[in-house]
Coordinates of all heavy atoms in Angstrom, one line a residue:
S1 N -7.7 -13.3 14.7 CA -9.2 -13.3 14.7 C -9.7 -14.6 14.2 O -9.0 -15.6 14.1 CB -9.7 -12.1 13.9 OG -11.1 -11.9 14.3
A2 N -11.0 -14.7 13.9 CA -11.6 -15.9 13.4 C -12.8 -15.5 12.5 O -13.1 -14.4 12.3 CB -12.1 -16.7 14.6
H3 N -13.4 -16.5 11.9 CA -14.5 -16.3 11.0 C -15.8 -16.2 11.8 O -16.7 -17.0 11.7 CB -14.6 -17.4 10.0 CG -13.5 -17.4 9.0 ND1 -12.2 -17.9 9.3 CD2 -13.4 -16.8 7.7 CE1 -11.4 -17.7 8.2 NE2 -12.1 -17.0 7.3
V4 N -15.8 -15.2 12.6 CA -17.0 -14.8 13.4 C -17.2 -13.3 13.2 O -16.2 -12.5 13.0 CB -16.8 -15.1 14.9 CG1 -16.6 -16.6 15.1 CG2 -15.6 -14.4 15.5
G5 N -18.4 -12.8 13.4 CA -18.6 -11.3 13.3 C -18.2 -10.8 11.9 O -18.4 -11.4 10.9
N6 N -17.6 -9.6 12.0 CA -17.2 -8.9 10.7 C -15.8 -8.3 10.9 O -15.7 -7.1 11.2 CB -18.2 -7.9 10.3 CG -18.0 -7.3 8.9 OD1 -17.0 -7.6 8.3 ND2 -18.9 -6.5 8.4
F7 N -14.8 -9.1 10.9 CA -13.4 -8.6 11.2 C -12.9 -7.5 10.3 O -12.1 -6.7 10.6 CB -12.4 -9.7 11.3 CG -11.0 -9.3 11.7 CD1 -10.8 -8.9 13.0 CD2 -10.0 -9.1 10.7 CE1 -9.5 -8.5 13.4 CE2 -8.8 -8.6 11.1 CZ -8.5 -8.3 12.4
E8 N -13.4 -7.5 9.0 CA -12.9 -6.5 8.1 C -13.2 -5.1 8.5 O -12.5 -4.1 8.1 CB -13.5 -6.7 6.7 CG -12.9 -8.0 6.0 CD -13.1 -8.0 4.5 OE1 -12.9 -7.0 3.9 OE2 -13.4 -9.1 4.0
L9 N -14.2 -4.9 9.4 CA -14.5 -3.5 9.9 C -13.4 -3.1 10.9 O -13.4 -1.9 11.3 CB -15.8 -3.5 10.6 CG -17.0 -3.4 9.6 CD1 -18.3 -3.4 10.4 CD2 -17.0 -2.1 8.8
A10 N -12.5 -4.0 11.3 CA -11.4 -3.7 12.2 C -10.5 -2.6 11.5 O -9.9 -1.8 12.2 CB -10.6 -4.9 12.6
A11 N -10.4 -2.7 10.2 CA -9.6 -1.8 9.5 C -10.1 -0.4 9.7 O -9.3 0.6 9.7 CB -9.5 -2.1 8.0
H12 N -11.4 -0.3 9.8 CA -12.0 1.1 9.9 C -11.9 1.6 11.4 O -11.5 2.7 11.6 CB -13.5 1.0 9.5 CG -14.3 2.2 9.8 ND1 -13.9 3.4 9.3 CD2 -15.4 2.4 10.5 CE1 -14.9 4.3 9.7 NE2 -15.7 3.7 10.5
C13 N -12.3 0.7 12.4 CA -12.4 1.2 13.7 C -11.0 1.2 14.5 O -10.9 1.8 15.5 CB -13.4 0.3 14.5 SG -13.0 -1.4 14.7
L14 N -10.0 0.4 13.9 CA -8.7 0.4 14.6 C -7.7 1.2 13.7 O -6.5 0.9 13.9 CB -8.2 -1.0 14.8 CG -9.1 -1.9 15.7 CD1 -8.6 -3.3 15.8 CD2 -9.3 -1.3 17.1
H15 N -8.1 2.1 12.9 CA -7.2 2.8 12.0 C -6.2 3.6 12.8 O -6.6 4.3 13.8 CB -8.0 3.7 11.1 CG -7.1 4.5 10.1 ND1 -7.4 5.8 9.8 CD2 -6.0 4.1 9.4 CE1 -6.4 6.2 9.0 NE2 -5.6 5.2 8.7
Q16 N -4.9 3.5 12.4 CA -3.9 4.3 13.1 C -2.8 4.5 12.1 O -2.8 3.9 11.0 CB -3.3 3.6 14.3 CG -3.1 2.1 14.1 CD -1.8 1.8 13.3 OE1 -0.8 2.4 13.6 NE2 -1.9 0.9 12.3
D17 N -1.9 5.4 12.4 CA -0.8 5.8 11.4 C 0.6 5.4 11.8 O 1.6 5.8 11.2 CB -0.8 7.3 11.2 CG -2.2 7.8 10.6 OD1 -2.6 7.2 9.6 OD2 -2.7 8.8 11.1
K18 N 0.7 4.6 12.9 CA 2.0 4.3 13.4 C 2.6 3.0 12.8 O 3.8 2.8 12.8 CB 2.0 4.2 14.9 CG 1.6 5.5 15.6 CD 1.6 5.4 17.1 CE 1.2 6.8 17.7 NZ 1.1 6.7 19.2
K19 N 1.7 2.1 12.4 CA 2.2 0.8 11.9 C 1.5 0.4 10.6 O 0.3 0.9 10.4 CB 2.0 -0.3 13.0 CG 2.9 -0.2 14.2 CD 2.7 -1.4 15.1 CE 3.6 -1.3 16.3 NZ 5.0 -1.8 16.0
Q20 N 2.1 -0.4 9.9 CA 1.4 -1.0 8.7 C 0.8 -2.4 9.1 O 1.4 -3.1 9.9 CB 2.4 -1.3 7.6 CG 3.0 0.0 6.9 CD 1.9 0.7 6.0 OE1 1.2 0.0 5.3 NE2 1.8 2.0 6.1
F21 N -0.4 -2.6 8.6 CA -1.0 -3.9 8.8 C -0.7 -4.8 7.6 O -0.7 -4.3 6.5 CB -2.5 -3.8 8.9 CG -3.0 -3.2 10.2 CD1 -3.7 -2.0 10.2 CD2 -2.8 -3.8 11.4 CE1 -4.2 -1.4 11.4 CE2 -3.3 -3.3 12.6 CZ -4.0 -2.1 12.6
Y22 N -0.5 -6.1 7.8 CA -0.4 -7.0 6.7 C -1.3 -8.2 7.0 O -1.2 -8.9 8.0 CB 1.1 -7.6 6.7 CG 2.0 -6.5 6.1 CD1 2.6 -5.6 7.0 CD2 2.4 -6.5 4.8 CE1 3.5 -4.6 6.6 CE2 3.3 -5.5 4.3 CZ 3.8 -4.6 5.2 OH 4.7 -3.6 4.8
S23 N -2.4 -8.2 6.2 CA -3.4 -9.2 6.4 C -3.3 -10.4 5.5 O -3.2 -10.3 4.3 CB -4.8 -8.5 6.2 OG -5.9 -9.4 6.4
L24 N -3.4 -11.6 6.1 CA -3.3 -12.8 5.3 C -4.6 -13.1 4.6 O -5.7 -13.2 5.3 CB -2.9 -14.0 6.2 CG -2.1 -15.1 5.6 CD1 -0.7 -14.6 5.2 CD2 -1.9 -16.2 6.6

């Protein structure tokens, strides 16, 4: 992603239980 919009909300709208996310 990039520093546009509000990417942190992706954690909320793309929530799933199959994989772990690792955010830099």
Side-chain angles (χ1 to χ4, degrees):
S1 193
H3 291 82
V4 299
N6 191 352
F7 182 74
E8 290 201 38
L9 282 177
H12 172 57
C13 64
L14 299 179
H15 181 221
Q16 46 76 48
D17 298 315
K18 296 179 180 179
K19 288 180 178 288
Q20 290 287 317
F21 287 118
Y22 288 85
S23 181
L24 212 64

